[in-house]
Amino acid sequence: MKKLINRTSDYVDEMLQGLVLAHPSMSLDGEARRVVRRTQSARPGKVGIVSGGGSGHLPLFTGYVGEGLLDACSIGNVFEGPNVASCIEAIRTASGGVGVLLLYGNYGGDRMNFDMASEVLDLDGIETRTVLGTDDIASAPSEEAHKRRGVAGIVYAYKVAGAYAEEGADLGEVVRVAQKSVEATRTIGIALSGCQVPGAETPSFAIGDGEMEMGIGIHGEPGIWRDALRPADIVASEMIDRLLAEKPTDAGNRVSILVNSLGATPLEELFILYRKAASLLEERKLEIVQPLVGPYATSMEMAGASISLCFLDDELERLLAAPAECPFWRVGK
């Protein structure tokens, strides 16, 4: 597969350098320059919010560093979690003296390194709390929801936690709304083709011509079924049915929907999916609030999409609508 790169070993570092050059609101930090932070220094008295994960998912992780969202992010190699040192550096740079929320996907390597970083910083008097994104309904049954992967739906947690921290809420309250958002969000993805990590000779996984896979993870983790490619309306219907089957018992009738490209699927096809999904939600008497359509959490050049539903109450809806600005998402500005 052709890629516009120089040396494979420079892929992530050169990408980060270009990212911050194009967006002066963000800067690189840390000894290995694997921390992306808001250029403006941490505001004393404000709860910091830090995320992180492997490269290859832009705008996920680093792309959401900005006002009303994340304060800093530690980044690893492609599909590899950040190391402990960069986790520590990201947390330090985000600290305003009143605690830091660690908000990232539920992956073993990320958990281990952020947990180790937290232990180190606890000795320095920096309080941290952790909320894990667990929105991928295909990755574990509902009775084991705590084992689920975090995928595109984590951007809702970024948004509401970031808004509350910006308003001056304390660490406990920021943790509460982040966890509330996670518990209110469901995601499922489909893939039409695999992706190829820079330097690899073959794709990470392959999907045959005329096939698709339902429930696949953003690194190619196995899904629920693989079968013949189906029309967009049928695919959207199954995705919405599966998501609504796991609607929280206390959910109201207002919901935000995110139709996300996994990298290679164009906006045109996302809108075809959204068209059907929106009509199905309307049939179920659900009112759509602030729909999101576009590339929010990708997986290199994987063709496919995910749909996330975030079931809103008054508090989540208000925080979702609060002003925010980062290179890939602007609200109320």
Side-chain angles (χ1 to χ4, degrees), residues 34-35 50 59-60 74 92 104 118 122 133 158-159 174 179 193 222 232-233 238 247 251 274 309 324 332:
R34 287 298 184 93
V35 172
V50 169
L60 192 59
S74 56
R92 283 193 192 281
Y104 54 93
S118 296
D122 184 58
Y158 288 169
K159 181 65 185 66
V174 174
Q179 187 64 48
S193 72
D233 281 4
E238 179 172 343
K247 179 182 176 183
Y274 177 76
L309 297 180

Side-chain angles (χ1 to χ4, degrees), residues 4-7 9-19:
L4 284 172
I5 64 174
N6 295 306
R7 293 187 305 176
S9 59
D10 295 334
Y11 179 82
V12 174
D13 295 314
E14 291 182 349
M15 175 274 292
L16 293 175
Q17 291 161 18
L19 177 69

Side-chain angles (χ1 to χ4, degrees), residues 17-40:
Q17 291 161 18
L19 177 69
V20 299
L21 280 171
H23 300 286
S25 62
M26 303 190 298
S27 301
L28 288 182
D29 208 324
E31 185 174 349
R33 315 302 282 173
R34 287 298 184 93
V35 172
V36 175
R37 66 173 178 84
R38 290 166 67 170
T39 298
Q40 186 177 27

